[in-house]
C-alpha cells in the first residue's frame, strides 16, 4: 500500500498545503493515541479517538483507505497489543461480516461485467423503451426513468448502469425533442430510485444487516417510499426542466443515430436476458421467503452471472474471466472493508460507547427517539465521510447501541441509515452521481442538475420526517 501511495504522490507532484496539514493531523492523532493508551486502559472514553481521527482525515480529503490505515495505527497505539495479539486481530477480522460485504460488492461488479458483455443490460433498456415508443414526451420520460431504475437495480451501481443505458436512451430523447438538461434529470432520477431498491448493492446489504431486517422489510420501511416518491416527483421535475430549458438552443441534441445491435446476436441476448431475469427474481424471492442474511448474495451473484453468461453464449471460463475483470476493479473496496473490520474490532476492545451507555444509559432511555433519529440521519447526510457502504457501517457501529437504548425500532433505523447513505446523492452539493448523469447525458449545466437534486431532496426530507414521527411513537 505504501508503494502505491508513493507512486501516486510521485505522479501528482508535491503535496499541497492542505495535504501536508492532513498528514500532520494523522501523525498527531497517532502520537496522542499512544500517549493516552499508556495512561488509560479499556474500557475508556478515549477510545473514540481513532474514529474521530478517521472522520477528520476523510473530511480533510485524505483517501478513505489511507485514512482507515491511519486510524488503525492509532487504535493499535492506544491498545498497545503484543505483535501476536495484533496479528490475531488482523486475522480474525477477515471473518467479520464487513469483509463479506466487501466481497459482495466485488461480486456485484463481476455480474455487471457479464451483463455488459452479453448485451443483457442494453436489451433490458431497449425492451422497456419499446413499450413506450411513439407515445409522446411524458411516456418517453417515464420509460427512460424506468429503464434507468431497472438497470441500476440490476447492477447495483448508478454510474456504471447509466453508462450502459446512455447510448440507447439519448437518441430516443433527442428524437422527441428533450433537452440535455431534461434528459440528465430523467437519467439521474431513475438511477437514484433504482439505487435505493438494488437488492445486492453494498450499502443496501449493510443496512439490512445493521437493522436486522430482510429485503422485503427494507423496501417497505425505507427504500420503497424513497423510490416511489422519486419516480412520481421525477415526472413533474422533468416536465418543469424541459420548460425551463426549451428556449436554450445550445441545450438541444444534434441528430443522433440510434445504436444498432448485430442481428445475429439477438437470439443469444434474448436468452441471456431471460436467464438473468429468472435467476434475479428467484434469488430475491428466495431471500425474502427464507429471510436469508447477508451471506446469501455470495451464492446468488455467481449463480446469476453463470446462468446469464452461459445463456448468452459465453463459456464457463469466459464467464469467470468477465467476473474477474469486473471484480478486479473493486479490490481496494474489499481491502477497505477488511480494514474497517479491524478498526471496529479495536473500538470494541476499547469500548468507549459502553462507557457512554453505562454513564448515561438511564437518561438516554428517557430521551426522544424521534429527535435522535433525525440528528443521526442529518449527521450521516452532511457529516460522515467515506463510501456509502462504509458510511452506513460507521454510523451503525457508533450510534446503533445508543439507538437501541433509546428504543429506536428496526423500521426507523432502516430509514436513518438509508437517508444517511443516499440523501447526499440528491444534494445539497454536487457529487459524482450528479456529474456522472449530467456528463453521460451530454449536459454541461450543473446548476440544472443541482436543482433537480433539490427538487427531489426537499420532499424526501419531509416524507421521512413524517414516517419517523410515527415509527418512533
Amino acid at each position: 500500500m505504501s508503494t502505491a501511495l508513493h507512486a501516486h504522490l510521485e505522479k501528482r507532484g508535491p503535496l499541497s498545503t492542505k495535504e501536508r496539514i492532513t498528514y500532520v493531523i494523522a501523525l498527531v492523532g497517532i502520537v496522542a493515541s499512544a500517549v493516552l493508551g499508556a495512561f488509560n486502559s479499556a474500557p475508556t472514553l478515549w477510545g473514540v479517538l481513532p474514529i474521530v481521527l478517521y472522520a477528520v482525515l476523510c473530511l480533510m480529503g485524505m483517501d478513505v483507505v489511507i485514512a482507515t490505515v491511519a486510524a488503525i495505527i492509532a487504535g493499535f497505539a492506544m491498545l498497545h497489543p503484543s505483535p501476536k495479539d495484533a496479528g490475531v486481530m488482523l486475522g480474525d477480522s477477515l471473518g467479520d461480516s464487513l469483509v463479506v460485504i466487501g466481497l459482495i460488492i466485488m461480486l456485484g461488479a463481476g455480474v455487471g461485467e457479464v451483463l455488459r458483455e452479453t448485451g443483457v443490460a442494453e436489451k433490458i433498456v431497449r425492451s422497456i423503451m419499446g413499450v413506450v415508443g411513439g407515445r409522446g414526451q411524458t411516456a418517453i420520460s417515464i420509460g427512460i426513468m424506468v429503464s434507468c431504475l431497472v438497470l441500476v437495480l440490476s447492477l447495483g451501481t448508478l454510474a456504471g448502469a447509466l453508462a450502459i443505458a446512455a447510448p440507447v436512451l439519448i437518441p430516443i430523447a433527442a428524437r422527441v425533442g428533450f433537452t440535455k438538461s431534461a434528459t440528465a434529470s430523467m437519467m439521474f432520477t431513475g438511477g437514484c430510485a433504482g439505487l435505493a431498491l438494488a437488492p445486492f448493492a453494498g450499502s443496501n446489504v449493510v443496512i439490512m444487516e445493521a437493522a436486522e431486517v430482510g429485503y422485503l422489510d427494507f423496501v417497505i420501511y425505507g427504500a420503497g417510499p424513497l423510490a416511489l416518491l422519486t419516480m412520481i416527483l421525477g415526472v413533474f421535475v422533468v416536465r418543469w426542466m424541459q420548460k425551463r430549458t426549451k428556449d436554450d438552443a445550445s441545450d438541444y441534441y444534434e441528430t443522433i443515430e440510434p445504436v444498432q445491435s448485430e442481428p445475429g446476436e439477438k437470439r443469444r441476448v434474448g436468452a441471456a436476458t431471460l436467464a438473468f431475469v429468472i435467476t434475479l427474481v428467484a434469488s430475491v424471492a428466495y431471500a425474502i421467503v427464507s429471510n436469508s442474511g447477508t451471506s446469501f448474495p455470495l451464492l446468488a451473484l455467481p449463480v446469476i452471472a453463470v446462468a446469464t453468461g452461459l445463456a448468452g453464449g459465453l463459456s464457463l471460463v469466459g464467464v469467470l474471466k468477465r467476473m474477474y475483470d469486473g471484480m478486479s476493479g473493486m479490490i481496494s473496496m474489499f481491502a477497505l472493508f477488511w480494514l474497517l473490520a479491524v478498526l471496529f474490532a479495536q473500538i470494541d476492545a476499547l469500548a468507549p460507547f459502553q462507557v457512554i451507555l453505562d454513564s448515561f444509559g438511564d437518561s438516554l432511555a428517557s430521551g426522544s427517539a424521534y429527535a435522535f433519529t433525525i440528528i443521526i440521519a442529518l449527521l450521516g447526510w452532511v457529516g460522515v465521510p467515506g463510501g456509502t457502504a462504509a458510511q452506513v457501517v460507521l454510523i451503525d457501529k457508533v450510534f446503533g447501541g445508543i439507538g437501541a437504548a433509546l428504543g429506536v425500532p428496526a423500521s426507523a433505523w432502516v430509514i436513518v441509515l438509508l437517508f444517511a447513505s443516499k440523501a447526499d446523492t440528491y444534494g445539497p452539493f454536487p457529487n459524482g452521481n450528479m456529474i456522472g448523469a449530467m456528463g453521460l447525458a451530454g449536459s454541461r449545466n450543473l446548476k440544472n442538475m443541482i436543482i433537480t437534486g433539490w427538487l427531489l431532496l426537499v420532499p424526501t426530507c419531509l416524507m421521512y420526517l413524517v414516517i419517523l414521527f410515527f415509527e418512533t411513537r
Side-chain angles (χ1 to χ4, degrees):
M1 187 173 294
S2 59
T3 303
L5 173 60
H6 180 69
H8 175 66
L9 293 177
E10 279 190 339
K11 183 179 179 180
R12 290 187 64 242
L15 293 174
S16 67
T17 301
K18 182 180 178 181
E19 288 171 328
R20 292 178 187 276
I21 292 173
T22 303
Y23 283 103
V24 169
I25 291 173
L27 181 59
V28 170
I30 292 169
V31 172
S33 297
V35 172
L36 290 167
F39 296 98
N40 296 274
S41 58
T44 172
L45 191 58
W46 288 111
V48 300
L49 184 57
I51 285 288
V52 172
L53 178 64
Y54 169 74
V56 170
L57 294 178
C58 288
L59 286 171
M60 292 288 290
M62 179 179 279
D63 180 271
V64 66
V65 175
I66 300 174
T68 309
V69 171
I72 287 173
I73 295 173
F76 279 135
M78 184 168 285
L79 283 168
H80 47 81
S82 67
K84 177 184 176 181
D85 291 339
V88 169
M89 182 174 285
L90 289 168
D92 288 348
S93 296
L94 283 170
D96 193 276
S97 61
L98 285 179
V99 180
V100 175
I101 303 301
L103 184 54
I104 288 171
I105 292 173
M106 289 181 65
L107 288 171
V111 173
E113 187 62 31
V114 172
L115 295 183
R116 281 187 282 270
E117 180 68 22
T118 56
V120 169
E122 180 183 329
K123 173 67 174 178
I124 291 172
V125 174
R126 290 185 183 279
S127 298
I128 294 172
M129 294 310 300
V131 174
V132 299
R135 298 189 181 185
Q137 279 194 342
T138 299
I140 293 294
S141 68
I142 293 173
I144 290 176
M145 288 191 292
V146 171
S147 297
C148 294
L149 182 156
V150 172
L151 208 55
V152 173
L153 182 152
S154 301
L155 271 66
T157 170
L158 192 145
L162 295 189
I164 297 171
V168 179
L169 296 178
I170 289 176
I172 297 172
R175 188 173 66 246
V176 297
F178 277 117
T179 62
K180 297 174 183 177
S181 293
T183 305
S185 293
M186 291 179 233
M187 294 173 63
F188 177 75
T189 300
C192 286
L195 195 60
L197 294 169
F200 301 131
S203 59
N204 294 347
V205 173
V206 175
I207 292 170
M208 288 183 271
E209 172 78 6
E212 298 180 355
V213 299
Y215 180 68
L216 187 59
D217 288 335
F218 167 75
V219 172
I220 292 173
Y221 295 144
L226 176 60
L228 183 61
L229 181 66
T230 299
M231 293 295 286
I232 292 173
L233 290 173
V235 175
F236 301 98
V237 170
V238 169
R239 184 181 300 171
W240 178 83
M241 186 60 67
Q242 178 69 16
K243 290 180 180 179
R244 172 183 169 84
T245 56
K246 67 178 182 179
D247 295 326
D248 183 358
S250 65
D251 209 3
Y252 283 91
Y253 295 101
E254 297 178 0
T255 302
I256 301 176
E257 292 297 326
V259 178
Q260 300 293 337
S261 53
E262 294 294 329
E265 297 295 322
K266 287 184 178 180
R267 179 173 297 178
R268 282 187 171 178
V269 172
T273 304
L274 182 61
F276 168 72
V277 171
I278 291 174
T279 51
L280 176 63
V281 171
S283 297
V284 173
Y286 179 82
I288 292 171
V289 172
S290 65
N291 199 26
S292 301
T294 54
S295 59
F296 178 66
L298 295 177
L299 172 64
L301 289 169
V303 169
I304 291 170
V306 170
T308 303
L310 293 178
L314 296 176
S315 65
L316 182 59
V317 173
V319 173
L320 296 177
K321 183 179 184 303
R322 297 321 186 277
M323 286 198 70
Y324 174 79
D325 290 342
M327 293 172 66
S328 61
M330 287 292 174
I331 291 176
S332 62
M333 184 63 67
F334 179 79
L336 172 61
F337 277 85
W338 171 50
L339 293 172
L340 283 173
V342 176
L343 176 60
F344 290 124
Q346 294 175 336
I347 301 303
D348 286 342
L350 291 165
F353 302 111
Q354 188 60 48
V355 175
I356 295 174
L357 290 174
D358 291 342
S359 302
F360 306 104
D362 293 338
S363 58
L364 284 173
S366 62
S368 170
Y370 180 57
F372 173 80
T373 57
I374 293 173
I375 291 170
I376 302 307
L378 292 175
L379 176 65
W381 172 30
V382 300
V384 178
T388 54
Q391 179 174 302
V392 170
V393 172
L394 181 60
I395 293 172
D396 182 63
K397 290 288 186 180
V398 174
F399 300 107
I402 299 174
L406 282 167
V408 175
S411 55
W413 199 235
V414 166
I415 295 172
V416 169
L417 297 178
L418 186 70
F419 185 87
S421 65
K422 299 290 191 293
D424 56 355
T425 297
Y426 294 81
F429 308 113
N431 56 72
N433 286 329
M434 276 188 184
I435 294 172
M438 184 181 73
L440 289 167
S443 172
R444 295 187 178 183
N445 196 320
L446 181 58
K447 180 180 178 180
N448 284 341
M449 194 76 261
I450 294 174
I451 290 173
T452 296
W454 271 95
L455 289 174
L456 299 172
L457 177 62
V458 173
T460 297
C461 292
L462 295 175
M463 176 188 72
Y464 279 144
L465 281 172
V466 173
I467 294 176
L468 280 174
F469 178 80
F470 288 103
E471 291 294 335
T472 53
R473 293 300 93 192

